[in-house]
Amino acid sequence: MHCKSLSKIPDTINELIALKELFLNGSAVEELPLNHGSLTCLTDFSAGNCKCLKQVPSSIGGLISLLQLQLDSTPIESLPQEIRNLSFIRKLELMNCESLKFLPKSIVDMDTLHTLHLDGSNIEELPEDFGKLENLVLLGMNKCKMLKRLPNSFGDLKSLHHLFMQETLVAELPENFGNLSNLMVLKMLKKPLFRSSESDTQGTSKEPRFVEVPNSFSNLLLLEELDARSWGISGKIPDVLEKLSSLKILNLGNNYFHSLPSNLVGLSNLIELLLYDCRELKCLPPLPCKLEQLNLANCFSLESVSDLSELAILQDLNLTNCEKVDDIPGLEHLKALKRLYLSGCNSSCSLAVKKRLSKASLKMMRDLSLPGSRIPSWFSQGPVIFSAQPNKELRGVILAVVVALNHETGRDNQLPNVVEVQAQILKFDLKPKMFHTLNLCGVPRTSNDQLHIW
C-alpha cells in the first residue's frame, strides 16, 4: 500500500493460488492483471485511492471467493456486468468515485450483498430493480449530489437496517418506503435552508421545496433514529408519526411544518427531540417521559410549551430565541436538568423561569443562559475565598468572562467553543485533572445582554 511509484503488478500474481488478501491502496497501479478463474481463494481485495486506476476488468467476476471489494476514491467510470458473478460478495465500497455515474444493472443479481457504500460518488440513479438486493443491510449514499430519485422497487429492500442519504437531490420518497420494515436508522438531512433575513421569520433565500411525509412512514416500527433536517417538510406532521414507538432520536430541524402530532407520548422510547430552526412551529404537544434532550432553538413562532413535569430525566432544554414563549410549565420538576438555554427569550419568560427555579432544581445544573447582565442573587454566596483546609477538597472554580459578538460572527446562529477561555484544575504534578473550554450555545437575535453561567 502507498507505493506511489508502483504502476504495474506482474501477471504472475495470478499464480498465488493460496492468496486470501490483496491490498493495493494508494499505489500508482493503472490496471488489475486478473485472469479469469485465478486467485480462487481471494476473499478481500482493496485498491482504494489508486488514482491511476480507471477501469475494472471483466475478469473480476472470476474471483469466486471474494467477500469484500474496495475501490474508494478511484477514477473508475463504470463496473463490468460480470460483477454479478461475485456469488459470495458481502461488502462493496465505491466511496468518492467521482467519475462513477451509473451502476451496472447486473448489480441487482449480487443477492449476497450485505453492505454497499456509494458515498460521495456521482451516481445519477439506481437500477430500477434495485429492490432485488434482498440481503442488503446497510446502504450509504451520503453526498451523492447527482442522485435525484429512488426507484419504485426501493421498498423491497426488506433487510435494510441502515440508510444514509444525506445531501442528495432526492426530493420525495417512494410511497412504498414504509415497506422497509427492518429499517432502524434513516439519515437524510439536506444542506440548511437559509432564510432571507433574521427579522423575517417566514422568508427564505430561495423558494422552498415543500414535501410531505409519506403515509407509509407509520410502518417503520423498528426505526430508532430519524434525521430529516432541511427536507422542506411543511404543513402538519401527520399523527401517524406517533406510531413509531421505537424512535430514540428524532431530528426535524430547519423545516417548515407549523404543527406536530397532537400528542407525542406514544414515542415511548424517544431520548432526543431536535426541532432547531423550525420557525413556523407554534405549539409543542405533550412529550414522552424518557426524553433527555429537547432543542427548540430559533423556533421564533413558538407560543406555548406543554407541561414538562413528567420529563423526570430531561437533561438538556434549549429555547434560545423563542421570544414568544412566556413560561415553561413544569420546569421546577425537572430535577435532572443540566443545561438550560434561554438566551434571546423575552423578559416575562425570564421572570417566570426565575420564579420556577429553586435550589433543588439547580442541583444538577451545569449550563444556564438567560437574558440579563447581573449574576442572580441565588447564585451569589459572598466573596470567594480559598484557603487550604485539612480533609476538605476543592469542589469548583468560578470564572467570569465578558464576550462581545456581532451577528456576522454568529452566522447561521451557531457558535464554536470560545477556545481562548479555558479552565483547568491541576494535580500537584501539574497534570490536568479537569479541563473545560467555555461553550456558548445559540446566538441571541437581540443586542440585549445575555448571561451564561457554567
Side-chain angles (χ1 to χ4, degrees):
M1 294 197 294
H2 309 297
C3 296
K4 296 183 178 180
S5 298
L6 181 65
S7 60
K8 189 174 182 180
I9 302 292
D11 289 340
T12 51
I13 197 170
N14 291 284
E15 298 174 16
L16 300 177
I17 58 174
L19 191 67
K20 290 186 176 182
E21 299 178 353
L22 175 58
F23 302 105
L24 306 174
N25 306 58
S27 67
V29 169
E30 297 176 2
E31 61 180 45
L32 305 176
L34 301 175
N35 294 339
H36 190 78
S38 64
L39 301 180
T40 54
C41 290
L42 194 68
T43 59
D44 197 343
F45 182 28
S46 181
N49 211 34
C50 290
K51 300 299 185 182
C52 298
L53 182 64
K54 296 183 178 181
Q55 189 174 4
V56 180
S58 59
S59 56
I60 200 167
L63 301 177
I64 57 175
S65 298
L66 199 64
L67 299 177
Q68 299 187 77
L69 175 59
Q70 202 255 70
L71 298 169
D72 293 346
S73 301
T74 57
I76 61 171
E77 297 179 0
S78 62
L79 293 172
Q81 294 289 346
E82 287 79 5
I83 201 166
R84 65 165 59 138
N85 297 327
L86 299 177
S87 52
F88 294 102
I89 191 76
R90 296 269 295 168
K91 189 174 184 179
L92 177 59
E93 298 182 69
L94 300 165
M95 292 189 288
N96 299 313
C97 293
E98 297 180 356
S99 299
L100 184 65
K101 296 183 178 180
F102 299 96
L103 295 176
K105 292 181 180 180
S106 63
I107 198 172
V108 304
D109 296 326
M110 301 170 70
D111 54 10
T112 59
L113 197 62
H114 181 279
T115 301
L116 176 58
H117 284 292
L118 301 170
D119 312 68
S121 66
N122 279 321
I123 60 166
E124 298 176 3
E125 61 181 30
L126 298 173
E128 281 302 319
D129 292 333
F130 194 75
K132 288 184 176 180
L133 295 175
E134 56 185 29
N135 289 304
L136 193 65
V137 171
L138 187 151
L139 175 58
M141 300 188 294
N142 289 342
K143 296 190 176 181
C144 289
K145 297 182 179 180
M146 303 302 291
L147 184 66
K148 296 180 179 179
R149 60 178 290 271
L150 300 179
N152 292 328
S153 65
F154 199 83
D156 297 333
L157 298 172
K158 299 292 175 60
S159 298
L160 198 63
H161 282 196
H162 292 71
L163 175 56
F164 303 101
M165 44 181 287
Q166 302 177 166
E167 295 188 35
T168 69
L169 292 178
V170 176
E172 295 183 12
L173 301 176
E175 187 52 46
N176 66 356
F177 194 85
N179 293 346
L180 301 175
S181 54
N182 283 301
L183 194 63
M184 298 174 67
V185 176
L186 173 57
K187 294 191 176 185
M188 54 183 196
L189 73 90
K190 296 186 181 299
K191 283 193 173 181
L193 305 162
F194 292 111
R195 316 288 180 125
S196 59
S197 69
E198 296 212 354
S199 59
D200 176 14
T201 61
Q202 305 298 324
T204 56
S205 57
K206 61 180 180 179
E207 194 66 26
R209 170 191 42 76
F210 294 130
V211 299
E212 294 183 358
V213 179
N215 290 328
S216 64
F217 230 74
S218 60
N219 299 327
L220 303 179
L221 299 180
L222 297 182
L223 193 65
E224 295 182 358
E225 184 174 353
L226 172 59
D227 187 347
R229 278 176 284 173
S230 309
W231 251 69
I233 302 172
S234 65
K236 183 182 186 303
I237 300 288
D239 289 343
V240 294
L241 184 74
E242 195 191 2
K243 294 182 180 180
L244 305 183
S245 58
S246 297
L247 264 184
K248 295 180 179 179
I249 300 174
L250 177 58
N251 194 335
L252 297 175
N254 197 219
N255 276 297
Y256 292 91
F257 55 85
H258 56 73
S259 58
L260 292 163
S262 55
N263 196 327
L264 290 176
V265 176
L267 300 180
S268 54
N269 289 295
L270 196 65
I271 296 174
E272 296 181 19
L273 178 58
L274 309 173
L275 301 171
Y276 175 88
D277 210 29
C278 292
R279 302 187 183 187
E280 287 72 32
L281 181 64
K282 295 183 178 180
C283 177
L284 186 70
L287 301 171
C289 61
K290 288 186 179 180
L291 206 62
E292 295 181 11
Q293 182 177 350
L294 176 58
N295 191 336
L296 296 161
N298 288 359
C299 292
F300 304 143
S301 300
L302 189 68
E303 297 174 356
S304 63
V305 176
S306 61
D307 193 317
L308 305 180
S309 301
E310 300 298 317
L311 306 187
I313 59 174
L314 187 69
Q315 297 182 19
D316 289 54
L317 178 56
N318 192 335
L319 287 159
T320 302
N321 292 327
C322 293
E323 50 206 26
K324 293 185 178 181
V325 174
D326 290 326
D327 196 6
I328 307 175
L331 182 65
E332 64 274 21
H333 299 292
L334 305 182
K335 300 297 190 290
L337 196 62
K338 292 183 178 180
R339 287 166 282 274
L340 175 60
Y341 302 106
L342 297 171
S343 294
C345 291
N346 65 50
S347 55
S348 60
C349 181
S350 182
L351 288 172
V353 166
K354 287 177 181 177
K355 289 180 180 179
R356 291 184 181 275
L357 288 175
S358 65
K359 285 191 175 181
S361 61
L362 288 167
K363 276 189 175 181
M364 297 295 292
M365 194 74 73
R366 298 287 300 271
D367 287 78
L368 174 62
S369 67
L370 66 169
S373 56
R374 291 181 177 275
I375 303 292
S377 58
W378 43 257
F379 188 81
S380 302
Q381 299 177 6
V384 178
I385 300 172
F386 175 73
S387 57
Q389 298 179 27
N391 303 320
K392 192 169 184 179
E393 295 182 356
L394 177 65
R395 299 296 298 275
V397 173
I398 296 175
L399 240 73
V401 182
V402 176
V403 179
L405 62 94
N406 57 41
H407 283 284
E408 290 182 4
T409 306
R411 190 171 178 263
D412 307 338
N413 296 299
Q414 295 280 19
L415 268 184
N417 287 345
V418 184
V419 293
E420 294 84 357
V421 182
Q422 298 174 342
Q424 294 186 55
I425 297 177
L426 306 176
K427 296 181 180 179
F428 292 115
D429 56 5
L430 299 182
K431 291 183 179 179
K433 185 175 183 180
M434 179 270 184
F435 181 91
H436 181 72
T437 303
L438 180 65
N439 179 25
L440 297 178
C441 183
V443 180
R445 291 209 301 165
T446 173
S447 296
N448 296 334
D449 290 342
Q450 309 292 318
L451 179 69
H452 185 106
I453 304 171
W454 180 80

